Amino acid sequence: MSEFFHQYFDFHIMGAHFSEVLEGFLKNLLLFAVVVVLALIWGLILALVRQLPGRKLIPLRGLTIAYIDVLRAIPLLIIILLISGGIPYLNFLPKDIRIPHWFGQPDPFWYGVLALTLVYGAYMAEVYRAGIEAAQGGQMEAARSLGMSHSQAMRHVIVPQAITKIPAPMLNEMISLLKDTTLVSVVALGESVLVGREVLAETFNSSAVLLAGLMFLVITLPAARLVDKMIKRNQGKITRGAHIEVA
Amino acid sequence: MAEAMVKLEGVHKRFGQLEVLKGVDLHVQKGEVVCILGPSGSGKSTLLRCVNLLEPPESGEIFVEGQDICKGPGSGTGEQSWNLDFVRQRVGMVFQQFNLFPHKTVLENVTLAPRQVLGKSRAEAEEKAKALLDRVGLSDKFDQYPERLSGGQQQRVAIARALAMEPHVMLFDEVTSALDPELVKEVLDTMRELASEGMTMLVVTHEMGFAKEVGDQVVFMDGGVIVEQGKPADVLDNPQQERTKKFLGLVLGTS
């Protein structure tokens, strides 16, 4: 038993490498913060394009659906490897894009940003879609019958309602995203898991890796509780709404 | 005779295999109230939805104020066409399920389209909206959200919302069917007042009393065609067609 504790909970090792792991974890958070903004925007664009009306736009809609489906169906790790292992060698691209060092971050960071945004944009597009579809139907017809264009109706009627319906599932995606930032360690981004693995390789002890896991828990556990609460509160709202109609 | 406000000629509409309208002709004069009756599935709601192109018809002609809305630049694409703007600026619609915007206050519900579509200023749109809400008896509800209103109040907001676009024709699609019985009257009263002010109205309804009292013309539809039409007293009290007799018997409980 003590062997077990020593392997995973060696407080000496945890203490010795705490600041390194924390620094790595801050890198996870930074990656998360950049990607979450970009993916929320990219996902909304995808969802809106998917909802565009008219026969002429069938090819564009089909392309969007294919993108969303394919990106969700391929392991994220493969996307990361395809981007980090391919883009540097595409010589027709300017060097600044092939090997980006923007805002003081190394190129693996930006490969991670691109891969995670492409994939999580697809996931978030699906969340937006659920919200948009829940808000549509009579609302779209009412807006259109008042003379509003499709885009006016989307902007003023459908999307504002869709957004009130999606915080819980969107937060779920964000929790997954935060965890998945660790995958960028495979392209040598010095985030918490990579730091933990280096300690593991040196000491044959898992405590630093576990420490990284604990740091994630501090954020993801309360967030998961929050998702639960939001879902419960939403159900309460639906019940109260029905009550008002009866009264 | 003066140019008809709304004129339908041989209108057909199908959903997949199902032909919902099988050639409908109808003339509605300015200021006329036409009540459309019929069993569910008879095509009466589809007919109404064709008039403002929520459902573009497959064939046939629909004229609004003499203008063929099924033709013209951009027709057939179903979107962003010239006739869509033309129609939606002249034809207002009220739905069975109200379809108020739940995230907007009563006042915002009424001002949204005038501001976005007609480009009215906030002050101008609000002034007009307040007058309209006052007219439907809701001057104390400006800042409420729809969920706080009764069904009858919501439906009156929906009427005010449609009127804010200053339509020349109003379509009412079973607007009292989702209401508790005691709330029906307040909505019908609002419609009655509108009719007396000379609004041209197409009303799909099951309210026989309203049709008889307010309607200038009653149309009975079944199976995607108009079976019988005429003065309310003629159609409702002395129907000629078997199908009309049967339907009225069922609705009025006299057979």
Side-chain angles (χ1 to χ4, degrees), chain A residues 22-42:
Chain A
L22 183 64
E23 208 175 302
F25 183 63
L26 291 178
K27 196 140 252 188
N28 289 109
L29 286 181
L30 181 65
L31 187 55
F32 168 82
V34 173
V35 172
V36 89
V37 172
L38 295 176
L40 278 170
I41 296 168
W42 178 227

Side-chain angles (χ1 to χ4, degrees), chain B residues 22-178:
Chain B
K22 301 172 183 170
V24 175
D25 302 300
L26 183 66
H27 289 216
V28 183
Q29 299 300 321
K30 188 169 168 29
E32 213 179 8
V33 177
V34 177
C35 293
I36 304 168
L37 315 177
S40 61
S42 59
K44 51 196 195 309
S45 284
T46 306
L47 180 71
L48 222 53
R49 295 159 63 84
C50 279
V51 174
N52 76 346
L53 296 181
L54 273 182
E55 306 285 359
E58 251 95 54
S59 64
E61 243 81 59
I62 301 176
F63 299 86
V64 173
E65 295 186 326
Q67 188 68 55
D68 188 343
I69 60 170
C70 302
K71 287 218 182 85
S75 69
T77 59
E79 277 306 320
Q80 267 93 39
S81 57
W82 162 89
N83 31 12
L84 214 53
D85 293 339
F86 178 89
V87 171
R88 304 254 165 93
Q89 279 165 23
R90 283 162 183 77
V91 183
M93 185 158 186
V94 185
F95 301 85
Q96 182 176 352
Q97 297 297 342
F98 329 135
N99 294 346
L100 292 182
F101 307 134
H103 60 302
K104 303 227 172 252
T105 64
V106 166
L107 196 62
E108 288 166 347
N109 261 277
V110 182
T111 57
L112 180 63
R115 291 182 64 191
Q116 295 302 326
V117 181
L118 304 178
K120 285 191 178 183
S121 72
R122 185 196 198 100
E124 199 183 349
E126 284 188 352
E127 191 187 352
K128 170 95 181 167
K130 284 176 178 170
L132 284 168
L133 287 167
D134 195 34
R135 198 164 128 196
V136 299
L138 293 171
S139 44
D140 55 337
K141 304 288 186 197
F142 294 161
D143 299 322
Q144 296 276 12
Y145 283 88
E147 65 164 7
R148 303 294 302 271
L149 304 183
S150 74
Q153 290 169 331
Q154 289 192 45
Q155 197 57 295
R156 284 184 282 149
V157 174
I159 293 173
R161 181 175 70 173
L163 289 175
M165 294 301 286
E166 299 172 19
H168 302 175
V169 182
M170 283 282 280
L171 311 175
F172 293 88
D173 190 5
E174 299 201 33
V175 294
T176 57
S177 299

Side-chain angles (χ1 to χ4, degrees), chain A residues 66-85:
Chain A
Y67 171 90
I68 292 171
D69 286 355
V70 168
L71 272 274
R72 290 185 306 146
I74 296 176
L76 175 55
L77 187 55
I78 292 178
I79 307 282
I80 293 172
L81 290 172
L82 287 176
I83 286 174
S84 63

Side-chain angles (χ1 to χ4, degrees), chain A residues 2-244:
Chain A
S2 84
E3 210 171 295
F4 176 85
F5 271 101
H6 179 72
Q7 182 62 31
Y8 290 104
F9 295 93
D10 188 323
F11 295 123
H12 178 71
I13 288 182
M14 282 190 184
H17 297 282
F18 185 86
S19 64
E20 289 162 67
V21 176
L22 183 64
E23 208 175 302
F25 183 63
L26 291 178
K27 196 140 252 188
N28 289 109
L29 286 181
L30 181 65
L31 187 55
F32 168 82
V34 173
V35 172
V36 89
V37 172
L38 295 176
L40 278 170
I41 296 168
W42 178 227
L44 182 60
I45 292 170
L46 289 170
L48 288 176
V49 169
R50 189 176 183 159
Q51 301 287 333
L52 285 175
R55 226 163 262 178
K56 269 184 256 170
L57 297 175
I58 286 175
L60 186 59
R61 282 200 299 270
L63 212 62
T64 311
I65 292 168
Y67 171 90
I68 292 171
D69 286 355
V70 168
L71 272 274
R72 290 185 306 146
I74 296 176
L76 175 55
L77 187 55
I78 292 178
I79 307 282
I80 293 172
L81 290 172
L82 287 176
I83 286 174
S84 63
I87 288 185
Y89 308 109
L90 298 178
N91 284 323
F92 57 85
L93 294 172
K95 187 163 179 285
D96 249 10
I97 292 187
R98 281 187 288 125
I99 305 164
H101 288 274
W102 305 329
F103 303 104
Q105 295 300 327
D107 46 328
F109 181 86
W110 296 109
Y111 299 142
V113 166
L114 181 59
L116 288 166
T117 301
L118 290 178
V119 171
Y120 272 86
Y123 280 111
M124 288 178 178
E126 285 297 280
V127 176
Y128 282 119
R129 177 166 79 116
I132 287 171
E133 282 175 358
Q136 242 167 4
Q139 292 288 309
M140 184 53 118
E141 285 195 340
R144 297 308 301 272
S145 79
L146 288 166
M148 294 167 78
S149 66
H150 178 86
S151 58
Q152 284 173 329
M154 272 291 174
R155 182 165 154 222
H156 296 286
V157 177
I158 306 297
V159 171
Q161 290 183 63
I163 283 178
T164 66
K165 292 174 200 293
I166 58 174
M170 205 51 107
L171 193 52
N172 258 334
E173 294 300 339
M174 291 178 190
I175 293 171
S176 299
L177 169 60
L178 177 58
K179 292 186 293 173
D180 280 350
T181 56
T182 56
L183 287 172
V184 186
S185 65
V186 298
V187 293
L189 179 69
E191 48 70 70
S192 58
V193 170
L194 189 72
V195 174
R197 277 171 56 199
E198 279 164 1
V199 175
L200 176 65
E202 267 171 41
T203 63
F204 304 106
N205 186 290
S206 307
S207 301
V209 176
L210 187 84
L211 180 62
L214 292 176
M215 288 181 182
F216 278 91
L217 273 189
V218 169
I219 293 188
T220 52
L221 263 192
R225 292 288 91 213
L226 183 61
V227 170
D228 247 30
K229 254 200 193 130
M230 286 162 117
I231 291 169
K232 284 222 178 77
R233 206 182 48 203
N234 247 334
Q235 282 166 344
K237 230 185 241 165
I238 291 159
T239 326
R240 278 203 307 283
H243 197 73
I244 286 165

